[in-house]
Amino acid sequence: MKIAKFEGITSWWKGLSPTLLMAVPATVIYYTFYDQLKVTLGFKSQQTNFLAPAIAGSISRTVAVACVTPLELLRTKIQSQQHYRYHQLWRVIHASIHNDGLLSLWRGLFPTLLRDVPFSVFYWISYEFLKHEMGSLQHFHNSQLVPLIAGAISGATAALVTNPLDVVKTHIQVSLGTRRLSLLEVVRDVVSEHGISGLYTGLVPRIAKIAPACAIMISTYESFKIYFTEKNREKTLQ
């Protein structure tokens, strides 16, 4: 409410453009790699699987994150308290490249992987397990509610477990162009200033965002996958 009052309601969508620019290619890479890898690793849809989703999720997330980290860094700076405008961001990025080299655009890659890879492992193991167990129940047999519910629960659980890593990642990326902090330095600063609870800053809004986002994303993905599978089958039979 304070954000809407002092900055206007449109500030809720601050950073939307770079977020979309980051989310679309990241999702394409992520889901495509995951679906192909899990099958290659021996995933069986009618069985309980743990290892294949964990490995496929971690590898696919690593590839996706590496591709979009510079865009994630841009989005973080736009949404930071320093109120960077778009034209100012290019100056910050140019200064960072000039002072620290091109690889500075991937600053925060390690903490991002440290957050996103465990998130993916927890998410996909939970999702595939819940999808299998719920799908075996007569009430949920072939129901489109299965991916919706399983996605929301899995997303919320993974967000809870990995929230401290998200706090660390954000602090490192916001420091771009100001000061350079290591992973341990960020953890020490957060804990010394806010206590252990500081590592769970933003947990409620993060879960409030991730749970429905995961539910919508995976249920939409599964629905279109079924739709196009049927279309391809029809073409094959013609």
Side-chain angles (χ1 to χ4, degrees), residues 152-185:
I153 295 174
S154 302
T157 303
L160 173 64
V161 174
T162 60
N163 195 78
L165 300 174
D166 182 57
V167 172
V168 171
K169 185 271 304 181
T170 301
H171 274 75
I172 289 177
Q173 289 186 318
V174 169
S175 69
L176 174 66
T178 55
R179 55 181 183 147
R180 191 167 187 171
L181 295 174
S182 68
L183 181 70
L184 293 178
E185 286 174 333

Side-chain angles (χ1 to χ4, degrees), residues 17 24 29 41 43 52 63 90 109 135 141 148 204 209 212-213 233:
S17 297
V24 173
I29 296 169
L41 293 169
F43 180 88
V63 174
W90 296 115
L109 175 61
H141 185 63
L148 192 72
V204 173
K209 178 189 76 171
R233 184 179 292 115

Side-chain angles (χ1 to χ4, degrees), residues 17-123:
S17 297
T19 296
L20 292 176
L21 188 64
M22 174 194 70
V24 173
T27 303
V28 170
I29 296 169
Y30 184 33
Y31 276 69
T32 303
F33 266 72
Y34 174 76
D35 251 358
Q36 298 299 320
L37 280 173
K38 75 174 184 179
V39 174
T40 302
L41 293 169
F43 180 88
K44 304 295 182 183
S45 59
Q46 302 303 319
Q47 302 176 7
T48 301
N49 299 261
F50 293 109
L51 186 60
I55 297 175
S58 60
I59 293 175
S60 58
R61 195 61 184 174
T62 298
V63 174
V65 167
C67 291
V68 301
T69 289
L71 297 175
E72 165 74 2
L73 189 145
L74 259 178
R75 183 189 66 84
T76 302
K77 296 297 289 185
I78 289 173
Q79 294 179 322
S80 72
Q81 294 181 352
Q82 299 176 53
H83 305 294
Y84 285 108
R85 300 297 180 185
Y86 286 100
H87 68 278
Q88 294 174 315
L89 284 171
W90 296 115
R91 296 178 187 172
V92 173
I93 292 172
H94 182 270
S96 179
I97 294 175
H98 178 75
N99 295 329
D100 301 318
L102 184 62
L103 291 179
S104 64
L105 294 181
W106 278 267
R107 181 183 298 175
L109 175 61
F110 175 70
T112 300
L113 290 175
L114 197 61
R115 177 200 65 180
D116 284 8
V117 171
F119 180 95
S120 293
V121 170
F122 279 106
Y123 174 78

